[in-house]
Amino acid sequence: MWASAQIKGVPIHIQKLQLHSLIQGNVNLLQGNAHQKKISIVNNANEQACAMGDIDMIHLVLRNLISNAIKFTNDGGAIQISSEEKNGKQIICILDNVVGISK
């Protein structure tokens, strides 16, 4: 979608984003899928954390990552989302308890 937007000239709107509420909105959107598998999702992102970005692109990335975490987490599992600032940048971590891919 991002590449397509760049090619077609669709403008990207950079703005200040409040990460905790942005993450929580996506968690709320996908909570039904998690509930079906009895997966708990905890948003531990810093409530004060802000970053600059395009809200639609960030929503797309978060939905994809959270959706994949739900998809590959076993029933009754847990997903934890956190954020931290490192070198002036915000890092969002989505940690699940999937088995993973063998080497």
Side-chain angles (χ1 to χ4, degrees):
M1 183 176 172
W2 181 83
S4 177
Q6 292 298 304
I7 292 169
K8 293 180 182 175
V10 174
I12 302 299
H13 301 288
I14 303 298
Q15 60 184 320
K16 186 175 181 179
L17 306 172
Q18 204 285 331
L19 295 179
H20 186 274
S21 64
L22 198 63
I23 291 166
Q24 192 59 48
N26 284 282
V27 168
N28 293 345
L29 185 67
L30 297 168
Q31 191 64 50
N33 297 355
H35 183 74
Q36 288 177 346
K37 293 180 70 176
K38 298 179 178 69
I39 295 171
S40 65
I41 304 176
V42 179
N43 179 2
N44 288 324
N46 181 334
E47 292 189 27
Q48 311 310 314
C50 293
M52 300 300 289
D54 181 277
I55 194 166
D56 294 326
M57 296 300 144
I58 300 300
H59 274 304
L60 180 68
V61 170
L62 288 171
R63 274 194 311 271
N64 182 268
L65 292 173
I66 297 167
S67 179
N68 283 344
I70 293 167
K71 182 177 178 180
F72 294 108
T73 295
N74 293 329
D75 290 6
I79 298 168
Q80 296 210 17
I81 305 170
S82 61
S83 68
E84 69 173 300
E85 184 175 341
K86 190 171 185 177
N87 299 325
K89 299 185 188 289
Q90 290 294 331
I91 298 171
I92 298 172
C93 178
I94 300 176
L95 178 67
D96 55 40
N97 57 358
V98 299
V99 175
I101 301 170
S102 64
K103 290 183 180 182

